[in-house]
Amino acid sequence: MDEQNNEGIEYEVNVNGGVANGTANNGTVGAGLPQQVSVWSKIKSFLLQDVNRDIVVTMTPHQEKVLREVHDFWFQEINFGKVKDFLFQDITLGLKK
């Protein structure tokens, strides 16, 4: 079914209600009307975004100090001697000797 609206653009209406082969007065062929942005297309665009871009994090000197301490804690070298000394230390429960 061919129709013409007030702006002079001819278009063809599909069975599903979509528009195909829109032609303006100046002879250019459009891709039809833009699709409605759905939740899935937003999620897909977020998941498929470019991951090779540089990320810049700015921190205060205090935040850098805390991050360095946390990093040093997580990546400290642990050997069995330190673990054994910690697990088998003497515990006093308020009794003085």
Side-chain angles (χ1 to χ4, degrees):
M1 174 166 85
D2 290 311
E3 296 180 6
Q4 187 173 5
N5 62 6
N6 293 337
E7 289 136 13
I9 300 174
E10 287 185 29
Y11 56 90
E12 180 180 39
V13 178
N14 295 339
V15 177
N16 297 333
V19 176
N21 299 332
T23 306
N25 282 340
N26 57 7
T28 60
V29 176
L33 297 174
Q35 295 180 354
Q36 184 179 4
V37 179
S38 66
V39 175
W40 171 244
S41 57
K42 289 180 182 180
I43 292 171
K44 188 170 64 170
S45 66
F46 174 75
L47 292 175
L48 299 177
Q49 65 184 342
D50 184 22
V51 294
N52 292 330
R53 58 183 178 207
D54 294 332
I55 297 174
V56 178
V57 178
T58 56
M59 294 187 286
T60 64
H62 178 64
Q63 290 172 333
E64 288 179 15
K65 178 182 174 254
V66 170
L67 182 65
R68 190 175 307 113
E69 289 174 357
V70 169
H71 178 271
D72 292 343
F73 173 77
W74 278 109
F75 293 100
Q76 65 184 334
E77 189 171 326
I78 299 174
N79 56 25
F80 183 70
K82 290 181 182 178
V83 174
K84 180 181 169 273
D85 291 342
F86 177 76
L87 292 176
F88 296 106
Q89 64 184 344
D90 291 335
I91 299 175
T92 58
L93 299 173
L95 300 175
K96 294 184 179 180
K97 293 185 178 180

